[in-house]
């Protein structure tokens, strides 16, 4: 066992682990270590996605030289003040190849000085006698830490509970050579991006492809959840609806059996008269997603799981609900906003990791949340809010999850950036020298029924951009300001949506916002 006790032990040197390490290094917190099982950072991208094209957008040519604004169109960079560490410098491809991500992460790790121990596979996490943790790797080396941050991602395939599923080729193991499926009938189980990425790869060589699953296909362009089916992967839908041999099967795979002629699949349809049919295939592929691997944890510190046991249950601070001191970063943090926002993806969780770092600094090192001082007037607060919503990448990417918070105590007003909404609701931002009286929580949000609106259907009316009184009915992304006092939300103000995402028109945006803030500050509201 090593002699020292670390403040933080981070498991996993993927994007989230490297982001947290870089922030700790920047702030001079050197009492940490990252353990990585592979010999390189970001080893996940050496194998996934299997067909090598990322679906995270990369746009170097934005017409702007504002690095903060440009991060709205850069879904791959980690957060750094070094302009050389922008992913957009590595390729112009809108959907880059995964190998570019590997190169980028290696450069990021080297440039930031992240303290990573490669080739160190964690095999056991246990509680220490002092309440901290003991973390053991495959060599038998045990390290002690006051806190552990798990940034391993959803590293294990999720195996659907289907009798005979062991006969299927899993996404992580299947061949990606289309010629291996020549003239074959193929069933793909799953309706996510990995399933359709696979179907698209096989369309030219197979006899037919069926994509099957119990849930409806949800398009990312409609739901605004980028984990739903992306247009870059949906060529297969044309081949189904234009009667080109392929099909989507809505329902449940009840059983998979293998015999001398291939596979016999019992399928229960959801929307047709044939309640159950037996279908024949030459190959069955399981593309059913991934899950968290809790096997390294002793019973005394095993985190509770949720969402079909695929994710660890977490508090608003991304801490295990049942294991104090155990935190999660990266794709694992999406449990807090599952299929609502972007914590499952780099362009979302890079901001969540920064927020986690600030939470840890505040909780364990008495460092207040960074804040800029303002005049305690409606005009000053409105100008600060409008400036931020017009260029912030964090609020833009983490819509409805992260917020800027303006707090007011007498004549002292402070502007805090990128505070988790649920963290503020539970913990607040009050300090000994700043007993908060008023708080304004600023988010970017879609309308409550945005996923029911077809954005391409011109018969569906949209809220006019210059009608202030209708802003609350907007479906598209727009700023929302909530007034908190005494732990309650007393009033809400919506800024009218805008096609160019500019919320700075004096009569449409600023004046109504100033009036709202004024009413809140003078006690007229609530």
């Amino acid at each position: 066992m090593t002699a020292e006790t670390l403040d933080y032990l981070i498991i996993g040197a993927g994007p989230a682990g490297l982001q947290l390490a870089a922030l700790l290094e920047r702030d001079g917190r050197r009492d940490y270590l990252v353990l990585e099982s592979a010999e390189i950072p970001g080893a996940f991208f050496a194998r996934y996605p299997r067909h090598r094209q990322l679906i995270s957008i990369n746009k170097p040519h934005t017409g702007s030289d504002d690095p903060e604004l440009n991060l709205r169109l850069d879904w791959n960079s980690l957060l750094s003040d070094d302009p050389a560490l922008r992913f957009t410098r590595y390729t112009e491809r809108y959907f880059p190849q995964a190998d570019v991500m590997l190169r980028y992460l290696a450069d990021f790790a080297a440039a930031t000085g992240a303290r990573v121990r490669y080739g160190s596979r964690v095999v056991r996490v246990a509680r220490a006698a002092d309440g901290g943790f003991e973390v053991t790797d495959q060599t038998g080396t045990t390290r002690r830490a006051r806190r552990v941050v798990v940034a391993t991602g959803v590293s294990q395939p999720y195996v659907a509970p289907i009798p005979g599923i062991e006969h299927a080729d899993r996404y992580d193991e299947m061949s990606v050579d289309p010629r291996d499926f020549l003239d074959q009938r193929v069933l793909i189980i799953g309706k996510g991006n990995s399933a359709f990425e696979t179907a698209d790869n096989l369309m030219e060589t197979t006899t037919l492809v069926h994509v099957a699953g119990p849930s409806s296909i949800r398009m990312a362009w409609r739901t605004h959840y980028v984990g739903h089916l992306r247009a870059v992967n949906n060529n297969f839908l044309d081949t189904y609806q234009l009667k080109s041999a392929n099909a989507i099967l809505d329902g449940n795979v009840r059983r998979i059996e293998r015999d001398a002629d291939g596979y016999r699949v019992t399928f229960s349809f959801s929307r047709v008269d044939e309640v159950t049919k037996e279908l024949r295939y030459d190959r069955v592929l399981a593309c059913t997603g991934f899950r968290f691997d809790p096997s390294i944890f002793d019973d005394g510190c095993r985190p509770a799981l949720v969402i079909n046991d695929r994710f660890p249950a977490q508090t608003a601070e991304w801490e295990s609900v049942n294991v104090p001191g155990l935190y999660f970063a990266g794709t694992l943090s999406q449990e807090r906003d599952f299929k609502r926002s972007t914590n499952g993806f780099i362009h979302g969780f890079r901001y969540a990791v920064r927020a986690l770092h600030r939470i840890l600094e505040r909780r364990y090192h008495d460092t207040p949340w960074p804040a800029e001082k303002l005049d305690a007037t409606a005009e000053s607060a409105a100008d600060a809010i409008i400036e931020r919503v017009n260029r912030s990448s964090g609020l833009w990417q983490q819509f409805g999850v992260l917020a800027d918070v303006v707090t007011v105590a007498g004549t002292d007003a402070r502007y805090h950036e990128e505070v988790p909404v649920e963290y503020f609701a539970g913990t607040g931002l009050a300090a000994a020298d700043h007993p908060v009286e008023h708080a304004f929580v600023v988010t970017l949000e879609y309308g409550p029924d945005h996923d029911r609106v077809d954005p391409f259907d011109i018969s569906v009316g949209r809220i006019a951009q210059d009608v202030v009184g209708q802003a609350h009915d907007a479906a598209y992304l727009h700023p929302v300001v909530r007034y908190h006092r005494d732990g309650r939300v007393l009033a809400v103000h919506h800024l009218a949506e805008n096609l160019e995402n500019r919320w700075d028109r004096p009569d449409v945006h600023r004046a109504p916002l100033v009036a709202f803030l004024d009413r809140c500050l003078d006690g007229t509201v609530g």
Side-chain angles (χ1 to χ4, degrees), residues 16 153-154 225-227 311 314-316 318 328-356 394 397-402 420-422:
V154 280
Y225 172 65
V226 300
F311 296 93
Q314 298 160 55
T315 71
W318 294 294
F328 302 94
T331 59
L332 293 174
S333 64
Q334 69 181 288
E335 184 271 330
R336 296 295 305 176
D337 64 305
F338 188 61
K339 296 190 177 181
R340 292 187 295 109
S341 196
T342 58
N343 267 324
F345 313 91
I346 292 175
H347 68 288
F349 69 62
R350 62 191 178 194
Y351 304 99
V353 173
R354 182 159 66 186
L356 171 62
Q397 304 289 23
Q398 283 272 34
F399 49 88
V401 172
L402 295 184
V421 171
E422 293 178 349

Side-chain angles (χ1 to χ4, degrees), residues 316 405 419-429 441 484 487-489:
V405 181
V419 181
V421 171
E422 293 178 349
Y423 172 77
F424 173 76
T427 302
L429 291 170
V441 177
H484 290 240
R488 295 185 298 140
V489 177

Side-chain angles (χ1 to χ4, degrees), residues 23 58 61 68 72-73 110 147 155 203 264 269 273 329 347 369 514:
L23 293 168
N58 172 66
H61 307 292
E68 175 69 16
R72 291 183 174 187
L73 302 176
R147 289 162 286 277
S155 57
M203 286 192 300
R264 183 169 66 250
F269 287 85
D273 292 337
H347 68 288
W369 201 280
V514 169

Side-chain angles (χ1 to χ4, degrees), residues 204-271:
E204 294 180 352
T205 58
T206 52
T207 299
L208 63 79
V209 176
H210 288 169
V211 174
S215 58
S216 299
I217 294 172
R218 307 197 71 191
M219 306 300 298
W221 51 257
R222 180 164 182 163
T223 66
H224 304 109
Y225 172 65
V226 300
H228 284 146
L229 182 58
R230 302 287 297 285
V232 68
N233 283 330
N234 73 11
N235 288 334
F236 182 84
L237 298 182
D238 265 9
T239 70
Y240 170 38
Q241 288 299 305
L242 299 180
K243 304 179 293 297
S244 301
N246 301 321
I248 306 289
L249 306 184
D250 301 315
N252 292 282
V253 176
R254 297 298 185 189
R255 184 180 300 103
I256 302 170
E257 299 171 280
R258 189 169 186 178
D259 56 29
D261 296 322
Y263 297 86
R264 183 169 66 250
V265 176
T266 304
F267 192 83
S268 174
F269 287 85
S270 298
R271 299 198 297 171

